[in-house]
Amino acid sequence: LLATASAAEIPTTATVQSSSFQVTAPAKLAFTQGPGDGVLQEIVVAVEDIYGNVVTSDSSYTVTLVVLSGPGSISCTPNSVGDIGGFATFPTCLFSAAGTYTLQASATGPGPALFPITSAPFTLAGVTPSVLVFTQGPVNAGENLGQPIQVSAEDGLGDVVTAAQGSVSLAIENNAGGGVPTCSATTPIAGVRMVEGVATFSGCSINAPGTAYTLIATFLIGSGTPPPNTTTVISPSFSIFKIGYSVLTLPAVVTSSTSAVLNGSYPGGIGSTWDFEYGLTTSLGTEIGPFTATTATSPLAVQVTATGLTPNTTYYFSIFTSAGPGSTLSFFTSPTGSVVTQAAIPVTSTSATLNGTVNPGGVAQTCSYAYGTSNTLAGATSTVSFNTAAVSTAISEPVVVTGLTANTTYYFQLQCSNGSGGILSFFTGPSGAVVTEAATSITATSATLNGTVNPGGVPQTCSYAYGTSATLAGATSTASFVTSTATTPVSAPVTISGLTAGTTYYFQLECTNGSGGILSFVAGVQSEITQIYGTDPIGTSIAISQAEFPANGSASAVVLARDDFFSDALAGGPLAAYVNGPLLLTEGAPESASLDPRTEAEIERVLPVGGTVYVLGGDLAISPNVDATLQSLGYTVVREAGSNEYDTAYLIALQEGSPNVVFEATGTSFYDALSAVPAAIADHAAILLTDGPVQSFETGIYLLNHPGATRYAIGGPLAAYGADPGAIPVYGADLYATSAAVATTFFPSASLFGAATAATFTDALGGGVYMATGGRSGPLLLVNPSAPLPAEIVPYLNGLAPGTPGVVFGGPLAVGPDVLAALAAAVG
């Protein structure tokens, strides 16, 4: 501005100029806060002049927000607000649908018209919280087996509201088994804060088996955030069952050319239902059931009969339960013919009625039954032969056999002069009220004979017969004793002396109400069984590592696998031997984002700083946080991570120097590969995986690049041998028989044997490495959690030298003390 003066009082100065300044007038709008990605936002619109300055002196405009583009509408409280000092503030704005938006702000007022403003595009991942949802877990699980559980806040469209705030508590709603819930060792479970709309509860468990458990999650209101319309949610029902029990499909028994008995077992405590499905392909398709499952807390055997089958045909079948499915097995119906072997009925502990039919075709036929403990009937016993009538219709020909051994699988076949039926099997039951049990406290000259008897409320007179004859001919009897009048089994141990060292003795508990089976022991040469285990699978892997590398810093490397799934770990055993290190476990990425502290401590103990840790599987298998932890401790980390389990096994083989000996095993289950580990290490071989009976692309590439490789197929036509018929086959009729076949083929005269449960893969994983390193050389046999031993492995154990020691991997819940006693008794 310019000021001019004309007064006489200021003769020397006629004008003066002011300092420069600007005149601000409202001209446009601007978003100064928001909109952004959250569903619940505060949005601020400013009134500015043409230079971008906020016109703080003006409060005459009303600003309105509308959706210019996007899938839903905006609702603000209020939706039109007056500006105060140049700012129009919308404190609470919510959107009706997820998606990408742009907003437009416009203003009305007495001053000059203002240009509207359009926001930058922004995306909403969720809208107003509406319900709580269990988005992960709970699932059927083993007792004390931790699992992650997630509860999410979702909108009405089923989208997670990532901006939802607050915390969530968790409690049992239906306490089926009277258990106590914990998550991360904390009970009660409360106050887990939401992160991007999700509350995650890690390491959750319930300490008692039961069925139809449910959990209830409750939303606790967060500051400034309205709660969902539904503030609680109840989970789907789930079951807790004993550790070590799994769903197993067991071999079928073909009873005729058109029928078969399908067998299986499931873990006690699962509740709900079970059924079988069968069909001409692995897709199955025909269901028998469902049936109601019981709530007992031990594994339960079940069977159903499939009828109307086609003769001379391969069928596939599997058991399905509330705890999950079993594996898929197959059976082959016998051809239609004039001679048909039929199921043995009835069967006792020492006898069975063998059944079959024969159509003589008008000519008298001579028939007998062959039976024995070999599935090929090698060395079988034949019944007395009999002659049929000269008729032209099928006639039944039952024969009773006696003198059988309790708790034993027998095979039999009807054989006539005009043909033979199929080979079927039956299993003799326990001996009943009187049971002979394994001898204990064996020395060179004495032993304690054991057994139980159920007096049935009447005193029984009992004694043990013992001697060097397998039939107890000329046996010596102990002094007799009289039982109480109990109605439950009572233990009856008796110690005998005067034995000859190195001699095999046979013995039997004999009472007035029956006799037990005949068992044996070798005086002075009792097999010693060592059990290596921890409190859980990770603890067992550490215990094996400490037994394998007792000296601190004595390993050259470490191989690390996840404990919750087997696929990446199957080929890791030979790698651990190749790099001279233990095979340790940690939680998989779905379970934990960090390295288990116990495993971390064992790595620091066994591996000097600067050593290499080989991690099996990608980031979805084991969290990348584990790599960071190991690197911070001074270790080099090498990831063996393919695009799938077959590719991972291929990469592991390359890491081993591309061996020219290959053990192929199916990657769809863990049994065959685990049995193969000690033999593969002993032969300096790699383990490669097939997709069941179909060759995997990655294994095929390896074999193509190694045309002269020696190839072993561990598993039959429905597994690795089906994928590579040109390989040397090593397999049996089932998983136990395959482990025995590997032992017989590669360790015919072992000085040490190992055993682990077939119910899970974790214990056998490190155990197989232990069996073929540190100067040890022996097989790994698969067993059940409780006795009796699988019949398929007994002949191998019988063939070992008396006193051959054994190592069992896994604790008493995985392999019970009765199994240890049975292993010791079976050796030699």
Side-chain angles (χ1 to χ4, degrees), residues 607-622:
L607 184 62
V609 172
T612 299
V613 179
Y614 295 88
V615 180
L616 305 186
D619 291 352
L620 296 179
I622 296 179

Side-chain angles (χ1 to χ4, degrees), residues 759-774:
T760 185
F761 74 97
T762 49
D763 298 339
L765 194 63
V769 180
Y770 179 90
M771 289 306 302
T773 56

Side-chain angles (χ1 to χ4, degrees), residues 38-54:
V39 297
L40 183 62
Q41 308 182 34
E42 181 178 80
I43 300 174
V44 179
V45 180
V47 178
E48 297 180 348
D49 62 19
I50 58 172
Y51 303 104
N53 302 303
V54 178

Side-chain angles (χ1 to χ4, degrees), residues 444-493:
T445 58
S446 66
T448 298
L449 309 183
N450 297 291
T452 61
V453 54
N454 187 334
V458 179
Q460 305 295 331
T461 301
C462 302
S463 64
Y464 287 90
Y466 68 96
T468 57
S469 168
T471 62
L472 294 178
T476 300
S477 290
T478 64
S480 62
F481 56 91
V482 179
T483 71
S484 66
T485 59
T487 57
T488 57
V490 294
S491 179

Side-chain angles (χ1 to χ4, degrees), residues 71-99:
S73 61
I74 186 173
S75 174
C76 298
T77 307
N79 218 52
S80 296
V81 297
D83 75 295
I84 298 175
F87 292 97
T89 300
F90 300 82
T92 304
C93 292
L94 297 173
F95 294 82
S96 64

Side-chain angles (χ1 to χ4, degrees), residues 232-334:
T232 62
V233 62
I234 297 174
S235 74
S237 63
F238 61 99
S239 299
I240 300 294
F241 47 88
K242 290 285 187 179
I243 293 175
Y245 299 164
S246 59
V247 179
L248 297 176
T249 307
L250 300 175
V253 176
V254 178
T255 53
S256 74
S257 60
T258 59
S259 63
V261 176
L262 312 183
N263 295 291
S265 69
Y266 63 84
I270 68 164
S272 194
T273 62
W274 61 271
D275 63 74
F276 280 88
E277 291 186 18
Y278 70 93
L280 296 176
T281 68
T282 53
S283 299
L284 309 178
T286 301
E287 180 185 27
I288 304 178
F291 305 97
T292 300
T294 69
T295 57
T297 56
S298 59
L300 299 168
V302 291
Q303 59 179 209
V304 296
T305 300
T307 59
L309 307 178
T310 302
N312 207 36
T313 301
T314 297
Y315 283 87
Y316 300 87
F317 73 103
S318 178
I319 184 174
F320 292 83
T321 76
S322 304
S327 58
T328 299
L329 302 182
S330 67
F331 62 89
F332 187 77
T333 53
S334 56

Side-chain angles (χ1 to χ4, degrees), residues 407-576:
N407 287 307
T408 302
T409 299
Y410 283 87
Y411 301 86
F412 69 103
Q413 180 184 47
L414 176 56
Q415 301 173 344
C416 298
S417 48
N418 65 334
S420 298
I423 298 176
L424 301 184
S425 67
F426 62 90
F427 186 78
T428 54
S431 57
V434 183
V435 177
T436 310
E437 297 179 337
T440 56
S441 303
I442 300 169
T443 70
T445 58
S446 66
T448 298
L449 309 183
N450 297 291
T452 61
V453 54
N454 187 334
V458 179
Q460 305 295 331
T461 301
C462 302
S463 64
Y464 287 90
Y466 68 96
T468 57
S469 168
T471 62
L472 294 178
T476 300
S477 290
T478 64
S480 62
F481 56 91
V482 179
T483 71
S484 66
T485 59
T487 57
T488 57
V490 294
S491 179
V494 171
T495 299
I496 57 174
S497 58
L499 307 178
T500 302
T503 301
T504 300
Y505 286 87
Y506 300 85
F507 68 103
Q508 179 182 46
L509 176 57
E510 300 173 341
C511 298
T512 49
N513 64 335
S515 297
I518 298 176
L519 300 184
S520 67
F521 64 91
V522 179
V525 192
Q526 173 72 356
S527 178
E528 181 181 353
I529 307 296
T530 302
Q531 194 164 20
I532 300 176
Y533 64 96
T535 58
D536 59 10
I538 292 176
T540 295
S541 75
I542 292 170
I544 294 171
S545 172
Q546 292 171 346
E548 190 178 358
F549 296 92
N552 292 350
S554 57
S556 303
V558 166
V559 175
L560 186 64
R562 62 192 291 189
D563 71 339
D564 58 333
F565 198 63
F566 61 82
S567 58
D568 292 326
L570 292 182
L575 175 62

